[in-house]
């Protein structure tokens, strides 16, 4: 754990030095990421990838749900003229027909 923390502190110090140099000279530096064997970073990357996958799956579900709702509304518009009574009155109509 101590070695991993030291690596992160070294990176933070390196970034601080580069930031100071950039402020003084106005130069822009391209930082090459250093590979780490840190288990926490690997878990973080895996969590970010999983969150991205879940976000895309959620977007797909919302899109399919909206399409299904639209299709149901189309079916409802086609069926409405076929019914003599609104659906909320069908129970009363059935009860009257059962007593008759």
């Amino acid at each position: 754990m101590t070695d991993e923390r030291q690596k992160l502190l070294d990176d933070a110090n390196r970034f601080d030095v580069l930031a100071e140099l950039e402020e003084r000279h106005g130069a822009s530096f391209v930082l090459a990421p250093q590979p780490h064997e840190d288990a926490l970073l690997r878990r973080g990357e895996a969590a970010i990838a999983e969150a991205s996958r879940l976000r895309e799956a959620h977007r797909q579900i919302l899109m399919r749900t909206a399409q299904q709702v639209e299709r149901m509304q189309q079916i409802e518009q086609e069926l409405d003229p076929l019914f003599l009574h609104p659906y909320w009155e069908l129970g009363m109509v059935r009860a009257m027909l059962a007593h008759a």
Side-chain angles (χ1 to χ4, degrees), residues 45-96:
E45 289 172 353
I48 290 171
E50 179 68 7
S52 177
R53 186 190 67 77
L54 290 173
R55 188 176 298 117
E56 177 60 24
H58 181 255
R59 188 186 68 75
Q60 292 286 332
I61 289 169
L62 289 177
M63 189 172 60
R64 284 192 302 258
T65 303
Q67 290 171 346
Q68 289 174 348
V69 167
E70 184 179 326
R71 180 65 182 136
M72 289 172 64
Q73 289 172 341
Q74 290 173 353
I75 291 170
E76 181 182 5
Q77 289 174 356
E78 291 172 11
L79 291 178
D80 276 349
L82 300 177
F83 291 116
L84 296 177
H85 302 281
Y87 69 91
W88 58 86
E89 292 179 358
L90 289 179
M92 293 186 300
V93 172
R94 286 184 187 135
M96 285 192 272

Side-chain angles (χ1 to χ4, degrees), residues 2-72:
T2 305
D3 291 339
E4 297 301 321
R5 285 184 183 168
Q6 187 59 45
K7 286 180 187 177
L8 293 174
L9 284 173
D10 291 344
D11 284 346
N13 290 333
R14 185 170 59 97
F15 291 142
D16 286 340
V17 169
L18 290 173
E20 284 181 25
L21 288 173
E22 185 175 0
E23 286 176 4
R24 281 190 216 155
H25 302 292
S28 179
F29 295 99
V30 176
L31 301 177
Q34 294 182 344
H36 288 287
E37 295 300 322
D38 188 3
L40 184 59
L41 287 176
R42 285 193 308 264
R43 286 178 57 198
E45 289 172 353
I48 290 171
E50 179 68 7
S52 177
R53 186 190 67 77
L54 290 173
R55 188 176 298 117
E56 177 60 24
H58 181 255
R59 188 186 68 75
Q60 292 286 332
I61 289 169
L62 289 177
M63 189 172 60
R64 284 192 302 258
T65 303
Q67 290 171 346
Q68 289 174 348
V69 167
E70 184 179 326
R71 180 65 182 136
M72 289 172 64

